[in-house]
Amino acid sequence: MGTIIVTGGAGYIGSHTILELLEQTDYNIISIDNFSNSNKSSYERVKALSKRGFSTLEFNLCDTEKLNYELDKIDAIIGIIHFAAFKSVPDSMADPLSYYNNNLTSLTNLLSYCQQKNIKHFIFSSSCSVYGNADKLPVTEQTPLKKAESAYGHTKQIGEEVIEFFCKANPDFSTVLLRYFNPVGAHISGKLGELPINKPNNLLPIITQTAVGKNSLTVFGDNYTTRDGSCVRDYIHVSDIADAHVKALNYLIEGKNKTNSSLFNLGTGNGVTVLEAIASFEKVAKKKLNYTIGQRRVGDVEAVYADNFLAKSELNWIPKYNLDDMMLSSWKWQLELENEKK
Ligand code: WQD
């Protein structure tokens, strides 16, 4: 059976995807991660949940020599799923060059290796942040991209274009670009989830940390032109995102792709406001959440949610989890982390 390389496999979505690959396929799985924004313990958590193992390598994908040296030692690589990237919007505004350097050099190094070794299948982790403040909702894959609101979102826009031109020059190479909306939640077992290295910027870990008294939640603005004034997002369970990667890989390997560069939105198609997400959490956790209403956050778009028809029809992918499931799984995971600290 061939080998699938998963870059960023110790990260939030990467670790959940490795678990789905181990459960749903027979491929040999090798994760590459330098733990710049992830925790090695995620590997142990995946191994504890899976019936079979996987291998791991630790190096920086921007180190061309090291990348070639390490990958040359691996037999029968048939595909790469590329998660490894910096992904914090505020951090990217504080240090944009580190984002362009890291996110783009790692990508071009991998594509160059694929070209040298004739590796044909590549899945790229992209983001709904490429849409910016779209004029029309829900956004489809054909929605014109707006100017990126952050250096992070810009590296995803550039990454997609790099891949598109690479595909034009290499017709035997086939890719799927997956635009995630807002990945949230944790594995249904409560034993694997998001492990923010520093203080998280994104909503769900802040909600669950606030619920255990480890953080404080400010709702960034309630004066948007939405149904309750707070921003709208398309929250999607991380295990649904992971499942989509397995389906995208099979889509390429089975030759079902209609072009050699396919693009899919990964969202539920439901727009949910911040206050609605909080209300769902309070309901499933049976706990009142203390939060304050604050100023808008620079870089936030007012509303974005997906038209996910293409992913459903082409990848045969159906998101399984609803908002309450996402909130409850996040809460179970936070309680697991608290329990482990005892
Ligand atoms: C969600 C909503 C905030 C924190 C993220 C990642 C980006 C991409 C898409 C993967 C917004 C509000 C948040 C808080 C709040 N991910 N919020 N108080 O910004 O939509 O984008 O997902 O590719 O990398 O940044 O997600 O969770 O930061 O914010 O009110 O303390 O929650 O204003 O409306 P975002 P987020």
Side-chain angles (χ1 to χ4, degrees), residues 87-89 126-129 152 180-183 201-204 206 217-220 231-233 235 274 297 300-301:
K87 62 161 188 166
S88 160
V89 168
S126 190
S127 163
C128 64
S129 34
Y152 160 76
Y180 313 152
F181 281 69
N182 283 60
N201 298 307
N202 48 333
L203 183 64
L204 253 294
I206 294 171
L217 172 60
T218 302
V219 173
F220 294 141
C231 291
V232 172
R233 293 291 183 274
Y235 298 100
V274 176
R297 178 173 66 174
D300 271 343
V301 298

Side-chain angles (χ1 to χ4, degrees), residues 66-340:
K66 181 73 173 161
L67 183 149
N68 293 337
Y69 172 75
E70 290 297 343
L71 292 191
D72 278 354
K73 292 191 280 183
I74 300 169
D75 292 333
I77 300 175
I78 55 173
I80 295 179
I81 303 179
H82 180 39
F83 292 105
F86 294 161
K87 62 161 188 166
S88 160
V89 168
D91 292 356
S92 79
M93 301 306 274
D95 183 5
L97 288 185
S98 74
Y99 271 65
Y100 290 110
N101 179 42
N102 182 69
N103 291 4
L104 298 178
T105 307
S106 53
L107 173 63
T108 51
N109 277 355
L110 284 168
L111 292 175
S112 170
Y113 190 80
C114 289
Q115 190 170 36
Q116 292 164 46
K117 304 292 178 181
N118 202 24
I119 295 169
K120 295 184 183 309
H121 308 305
F122 191 88
I123 295 175
F124 179 65
S125 159
S126 190
S127 163
C128 64
S129 34
V130 301
Y131 293 110
N133 255 313
D135 297 331
K136 194 168 160 296
L137 292 171
V139 290
T140 73
E141 290 81 357
Q142 284 66 46
T143 296
L145 303 191
K146 287 288 190 71
K147 184 171 166 38
E149 302 271 340
S150 69
Y152 160 76
H154 194 204
T155 65
K156 290 300 180 183
Q157 286 182 343
I158 298 170
E160 289 188 358
E161 290 170 346
V162 165
I163 292 170
E164 212 175 304
F165 282 106
F166 182 79
C167 286
K168 286 187 168 69
N170 297 276
D172 291 346
F173 183 75
S174 64
T175 69
V176 166
L177 310 174
L178 295 173
R179 288 177 178 166
Y180 313 152
F181 281 69
N182 283 60
V184 295
H187 187 259
I188 199 80
S189 64
K191 300 289 184 189
L192 179 67
E194 192 168 5
L195 277 172
I197 296 292
N198 311 307
K199 272 261 182 218
N201 298 307
N202 48 333
L203 183 64
L204 253 294
I206 294 171
I207 284 181
T208 57
Q209 288 180 1
T210 299
V212 293
K214 298 277 171 66
N215 208 325
S216 60
L217 172 60
T218 302
V219 173
F220 294 141
D222 67 346
N223 59 353
Y224 287 95
T225 53
T226 62
R227 46 184 179 269
D228 62 20
S230 63
C231 291
V232 172
R233 293 291 183 274
D234 184 333
Y235 298 100
I236 171 97
H237 196 285
V238 62
S239 293
D240 280 329
I241 294 267
D243 180 52
H245 285 75
V246 181
K247 290 183 164 59
L249 185 67
N250 291 336
Y251 178 76
L252 291 179
I253 291 173
E254 291 161 17
K256 291 181 178 159
N257 49 311
K258 298 185 172 67
T259 71
N260 73 332
S261 175
S262 311
L263 173 65
F264 300 108
N265 283 338
L266 293 187
T268 61
N270 304 319
V272 169
T273 72
V274 176
L275 293 173
E276 288 165 349
I278 291 171
S280 167
F281 176 82
E282 291 178 325
K283 179 179 70 174
V284 299
K286 299 184 178 62
K287 200 176 175 59
K288 187 92 187 74
L289 203 60
N290 288 327
Y291 62 88
T292 55
I293 303 287
Q295 295 303 310
R296 295 182 177 192
R297 178 173 66 174
V298 173
D300 271 343
V301 298
E302 173 169 277
V304 65
Y305 57 95
D307 174 321
N308 62 7
F309 172 75
L310 261 187
K312 284 182 171 176
S313 56
E314 285 291 301
L315 300 181
N316 190 25
W317 172 72
I318 307 278
K320 285 199 287 284
Y321 299 99
N322 63 30
L323 184 65
D324 289 351
D325 299 327
M326 297 178 214
M327 295 296 150
L328 184 57
S329 64
S330 290
W331 181 228
K332 269 180 70 177
W333 170 240
Q334 185 68 53
L335 293 175
E336 169 68 20
L337 291 175
E338 297 309 302
N339 194 29
E340 289 177 3

Side-chain angles (χ1 to χ4, degrees), residues 2-61:
T3 297
I4 300 295
I5 302 288
V6 178
T7 73
Y12 175 40
I13 303 173
S15 56
H16 285 79
T17 300
I18 288 177
L19 187 52
E20 291 301 323
L21 286 166
L22 292 170
E23 286 177 354
Q24 295 189 40
T25 77
D26 295 328
Y27 299 119
N28 300 316
I29 306 299
I30 299 181
S31 173
I32 301 173
D33 206 309
N34 67 351
F35 311 115
S36 58
N37 188 31
S38 57
N39 202 305
K40 201 168 195 171
S41 66
S42 298
Y43 286 151
E44 299 319 309
R45 296 177 188 278
V46 172
K47 286 177 180 161
L49 289 167
S50 172
K51 295 183 189 62
R52 67 187 185 96
F54 61 100
S55 308
T56 66
L57 291 170
E58 178 180 356
F59 66 88
N60 187 329
L61 293 163

